[in-house]
Amino acid sequence: MPRFYVDPSQIGTDRIVLGGGEYNHIKNVLRKQVGDTLLICDGEGREYECSVDSYGDGEVMLRIDSVKEGKTELSVHMTLFQGLPKKDKMELIIEKAVELGACEVVPVACIRSVAKMGDEKREDKKIARWNAIAEAAAKQSGRGVIPVVKDLMKFPEAMRFAKEHCDMILFPYENAEGMNTLRNCVSKMWPGARIGVFIGPEGGFDPDEVALAKNAGAEIVSLGRRILRTETAGLTMLSYLMIEAEMAEVQS
Ligand code: SAH
């Protein structure tokens, strides 16, 4: 069933009225007839099964047939803090992070980030583009929420943000040894846990950043004995957390 994301304020008790691009899409692209069904998501995890009630002047009226909590969100809330990578790698990282269930991506300017965002105007444009990529990936993968790409933060600010908003901060570091720390952290995950994952840029983390992370209570973990590229490291970590969270849900 086609899936549309609308602002919760647009959702009435038993009706939803959509105009603009959504109206056009439903009427002229999907050619939905009165009585045809579609799925409306409020971006906060609720899904409304609707049928087309009528078309008006530039708007479509939908009848809400049933409401349910979406089933596609993970039991854990994952935020990827991604050291700013080179070229357009961030686009791939955002798309895949959203598919893997991340709820938030924070681009982080690290000491060894070679890439720069440019002036404020260019930065705003990039962030808007990244959010559009997140939205498209959310739709494609059937997410119940549209993950947000936040404004660029410098590393210390990102670590402060993580300390405030996350229950657990995982900090993959290629000089970390053994898999026990990661195993212990994951075994402690609980439904609703907010997990922050920090990934360094191509040049890796600076020792000062590692020290800051340790101070903030981050868990310094290894992802194995090979050096992974920045895009591989984040997606590996998120994949692992996703599978663990999904498996815990099946068992419980
Ligand atoms: N400085 C390194 C590589 C950085 S890789 C070098 O050039 O040799 C980019 C990021 O991926 C790292 O900062 C780290 O967060 C993560 N990473 C890559 N391989 C890893 C591994 N084996 N274990 C944990 N983290 C890893």
Side-chain angles (χ1 to χ4, degrees):
M1 206 184 303
R3 189 178 268 266
F4 287 83
Y5 293 81
V6 308
D7 194 84
S9 66
Q10 285 176 271
I11 300 173
T13 25
D14 56 358
R15 294 275 190 281
I16 300 174
V17 181
L18 301 176
E22 280 129 0
Y23 158 76
N24 188 44
H25 196 169
I26 293 168
K27 183 161 193 266
N28 301 322
V29 180
L30 298 173
R31 297 183 182 280
K32 289 281 179 190
Q33 309 287 318
V34 169
D36 286 353
T37 53
L38 35 91
L39 200 62
I40 302 291
C41 305
D42 67 358
E44 293 175 352
R46 255 178 314 279
E47 294 178 354
Y48 299 79
E49 248 183 62
C50 296
S51 45
V52 175
D53 186 79
S54 56
Y55 284 104
D57 188 17
E59 59 181 34
V60 53
M61 168 100 79
L62 306 175
R63 198 183 60 223
I64 298 174
D65 297 324
S66 66
V67 188
K68 54 182 167 55
E69 289 301 315
K71 288 206 189 81
T72 56
E73 289 304 305
L74 290 177
S75 59
V76 291
H77 182 284
M78 305 192 296
T79 302
L80 175 63
F81 295 85
Q82 172 65 52
L84 204 58
K86 287 190 214 161
K87 303 210 189 95
D88 46 14
K89 263 189 196 170
M90 195 67 173
E91 299 189 359
L92 172 99
I93 294 171
I94 289 167
E95 182 181 277
K96 302 304 167 206
V98 169
E99 288 171 35
L100 294 169
C103 290
E104 230 174 12
V105 178
V106 180
V108 183
C110 295
I111 294 173
R112 296 187 186 161
S113 283
V114 181
K116 297 279 174 283
M117 286 289 262
D119 58 24
E120 208 172 304
K121 212 169 130 203
R122 278 194 63 190
E123 180 173 331
D124 287 352
K125 238 175 106 183
K126 254 190 196 162
I127 300 281
R129 176 166 169 70
W130 290 343
N131 272 295
I133 290 171
E135 184 175 342
K139 287 183 178 165
Q140 181 276 325
S141 57
R143 293 285 305 268
V145 305
I146 297 181
V148 177
V149 181
K150 297 193 96 68
D151 286 345
L152 181 74
M153 296 185 196
K154 291 208 169 101
F155 183 91
E157 184 192 356
M159 193 49 77
R160 271 199 303 279
F161 180 88
K163 205 177 162 189
E164 221 170 279
H165 291 91
C166 300
D167 301 307
M168 189 189 286
I169 305 174
L170 298 177
F171 194 95
Y173 185 40
E174 60 280 9
N175 296 340
E177 275 178 25
M179 303 308 288
N180 281 340
T181 316
L182 182 55
R183 196 207 316 257
N184 288 340
C185 289
V186 167
S187 70
K188 280 188 290 194
M189 270 189 338
W190 64 94
R194 304 175 73 89
I195 302 171
V197 174
F198 272 77
I199 301 292
E202 285 86 351
F205 287 120
D206 183 272
D208 283 354
E209 291 169 333
V210 181
L212 212 64
K214 282 186 181 156
N215 253 331
E219 304 282 356
I220 315 295
V221 299
S222 168
L223 294 175
R225 289 162 292 168
R226 290 147 303 276
I227 303 277
L228 307 176
R229 284 193 187 260
T230 180
E231 64 274 32
T232 318
L235 301 179
T236 301
M237 189 74 243
L238 294 178
S239 309
Y240 177 47
L241 296 176
M242 175 194 74
I243 294 285
E244 285 286 342
E246 291 279 8
M247 292 207 294
E249 242 178 282
V250 172
Q251 275 162 13
S252 63

